Amino acid sequence: MRDLTFGFVGIGLIGGSVAKTLRRVFPGCKIIVFNRSAEARVMAMNDGTANIAVSQVDDTFQECDYIFLCTPVERNVEYLKILKNMINSSCIITDVGSVKGNIHNAVKELHLEANFIGGHPMAGSEKTSYEHSSDRLLENAYYAITPADLVSADKIDEFTQIISAIGAIPIRMSWEEHDRVVATISHLPHIIASSLVNLVKHNDSPSEYMKTMAAGGFKDITRIASSSPEMWEQICMTNHTNISSMLQKYIDSLNQIKKELDTENGQAIYDMISESRDYRDNIDDHNNSIIHKSFNVYCDIIDESGAIATIATILATNGVSIKNIGIIHNREFEEGVLKISFYDETSAQKAVEQLERHRYRIFKRK
């Protein structure tokens, strides 16, 4: 592929990760970055990611072949207006926002439909700054591509090749379909998680037994409730129609479940859980989304001094890195008193082999 010049408006977690990956995959490319924080600009220059760092979006971006908008979804539209009269005629502007409708509508109003390809890498973290970005964050992550109506097929093909080259899995779709999909699989789950946490908060007793005993399944399905309120307010407001539509469908399904419970229809509850189990077990996992896949091993240990240290020593001696380790107090859903989390499947499997070799009873879960 020809040497390209890439511009970045915003180099937080996602923008920084895309830029770092482009530098690794295309070492001869030129990268120009803008970020409101000077610290991120300095870091990008010092680590060799950026060739040029600027304190404002200016004519420096005229030479770019591709410009990535990597600021919050509403602010991306403002930068789009600034770039309109700066870019060369062959430049493609793209974004990494999780909602596509607002920016595609702005692209149409600004007559930039020949110069825009929407993008959404399904990757992320609870962390948001450049210092947490990684040149491997996008590996095997789905990357939605939503071209505007007048973009040439050659440009779409080249952009798709770039996304594949950085290790992501491109999926081309309309922006309308994209926003409907993410409303269901990403945005609505955040609302549900937040509302479920608040349900516990507002219905707990003064003794806070609910909070004390919340673990296992509850913490797993509400993990995303810890995400940024500012970011998710913007997402919800820019995709409110799709979210509201799917939320109503979810409310209807909950009302049906309530009816089955009130009439003691055990078979209906069984059928619902069985159907959901079968469907979920056929969903492919990719470990780059903001809801990270966990590689957990559960282990029975004797409650005695040094028991956890012994296990940690066994794993460390055999080169297995532990992500997290702790005692499970709520055993309603899990077997094994000790939960050990790992960064990947290989480490988890190696841990199982080593611990079983030392006669520990192991329960492996994904």
Side-chain angles (χ1 to χ4, degrees):
M1 183 176 291
R2 62 193 176 98
D3 286 339
L4 297 168
T5 297
F6 298 100
F8 284 84
V9 178
I11 48 170
L13 176 74
I14 300 299
S17 294
V18 175
K20 287 180 177 180
T21 308
L22 288 170
R23 171 60 66 215
R24 174 174 58 80
V25 175
F26 304 115
C29 74
K30 185 174 183 179
I31 295 179
I32 302 168
V33 303
F34 157 77
N35 198 76
R36 290 195 303 169
S37 165
E39 181 181 7
R41 298 197 302 266
V42 171
M43 291 174 66
M45 291 294 293
N46 288 344
D47 66 18
T49 297
N51 300 98
I52 299 173
V54 295
S55 59
Q56 61 183 352
V57 177
D58 56 24
D59 290 345
T60 309
F61 285 84
Q62 284 182 340
E63 62 180 293
C64 291
D65 298 292
Y66 290 90
I67 299 174
F68 288 80
L69 300 178
C70 306
T71 66
V73 289
E74 292 178 342
R75 199 172 297 148
N76 278 343
V77 172
E78 297 304 313
Y79 285 116
L80 191 67
K81 296 174 183 177
I82 295 172
L83 289 166
K84 172 179 167 60
N85 297 316
M86 291 182 182
I87 61 172
N88 64 69
S89 59
S90 63
C91 177
I92 292 295
I93 300 175
T94 185
D95 76 320
V96 296
S98 62
V99 181
K100 303 264 71 77
N102 64 321
I103 196 162
H104 272 274
N105 288 330
V107 163
K108 189 171 184 178
E109 291 174 4
L110 293 168
H111 306 291
L112 284 169
E113 292 176 283
N115 300 92
F116 185 78
I117 300 176
H120 178 203
M122 300 293 288
S125 168
E126 295 83 359
K127 308 296 184 181
T128 57
S129 61
Y130 182 83
E131 65 180 312
H132 296 109
S133 60
S134 165
D135 66 354
R136 300 286 178 178
L137 182 68
L138 278 72
E139 280 191 351
N140 297 316
Y142 289 118
Y143 199 118
I145 296 174
T146 61
D149 292 339
L150 301 181
V151 179
S152 71
D154 288 344
K155 284 293 186 182
I156 297 172
D157 288 344
E158 182 176 66
F159 185 70
T160 303
Q161 290 173 24
I162 292 169
I163 299 307
S164 295
I166 63 177
I169 304 169
I171 299 181
R172 182 178 170 183
M173 61 180 70
S174 69
W175 68 260
E176 295 91 345
E177 180 69 7
H178 169 274
D179 284 1
R180 180 177 176 274
V181 168
V182 295
T184 309
I185 65 168
S186 177
H187 304 164
L188 181 59
H190 275 79
I191 291 175
I192 293 170
S194 295
S195 64
L196 184 55
V197 170
N198 288 337
L199 178 71
V200 169
K201 176 185 176 182
H202 296 149
N203 289 276
D204 208 351
S205 67
S207 301
E208 294 192 325
Y209 289 131
M210 289 185 185
K211 181 179 181 181
T212 300
M213 298 173 70
F218 181 82
K219 292 191 73 173
D220 283 343
I221 65 175
T222 59
R223 188 184 322 150
I224 51 179
S226 297
S227 299
S228 164
E230 294 81 9
M231 178 180 74
W232 280 98
E233 178 193 5
Q234 282 203 13
I235 289 172
C236 288
M237 292 303 97
T238 51
N239 201 24
H240 62 91
T241 301
N242 284 301
I243 298 173
S244 179
S245 174
M246 298 312 299
L247 178 59
Q248 185 59 58
K249 292 178 185 291
Y250 185 62
I251 290 170
D252 292 343
S253 70
L254 289 178
N255 283 329
Q256 183 61 38
I257 294 168
K258 183 179 184 302
K259 178 182 176 182
E260 309 299 0
L261 291 170
D262 290 342
T263 59
E264 299 184 32
N265 188 347
Q267 185 61 50
I269 299 299
Y270 175 92
D271 291 343
M272 176 196 69
I273 296 174
S274 177
E275 180 183 9
S276 65
R277 177 199 61 190
D278 292 344
Y279 185 78
R280 188 188 183 282
D281 287 350
N282 281 284
I283 296 176
D284 290 333
D285 284 303
H286 289 271
N287 197 29
N288 299 70
S289 68
I290 197 166
I291 312 173
H292 289 293
K293 180 179 178 182
S294 297
F295 300 94
N296 301 321
V297 169
Y298 297 83
C299 175
D300 275 339
I301 61 172
I302 299 173
D303 185 8
E304 62 182 16
S305 177
I308 295 179
T310 299
I311 287 179
T313 300
I314 291 170
L315 297 180
T317 302
N318 288 278
V320 180
S321 297
I322 296 174
K323 182 178 182 181
N324 202 0
I325 187 168
I327 298 293
I328 296 175
H329 298 288
N330 184 331
R331 299 286 299 281
E332 184 177 1
F333 300 106
E334 307 291 359
E335 297 176 286
V337 69
L338 184 70
K339 178 181 178 180
I340 316 171
S341 300
F342 301 92
Y343 290 95
D344 51 54
E345 175 72 18
T346 301
S347 297
Q349 184 56 47
K350 189 173 180 180
V352 170
E353 294 171 358
Q354 293 301 322
L355 293 176
E356 287 182 338
R357 185 174 299 171
H358 286 79
R359 300 292 189 267
Y360 286 96
R361 189 181 182 201
I362 302 299
F363 307 92
K364 185 168 176 286
R365 297 285 185 274
K366 291 185 179 181

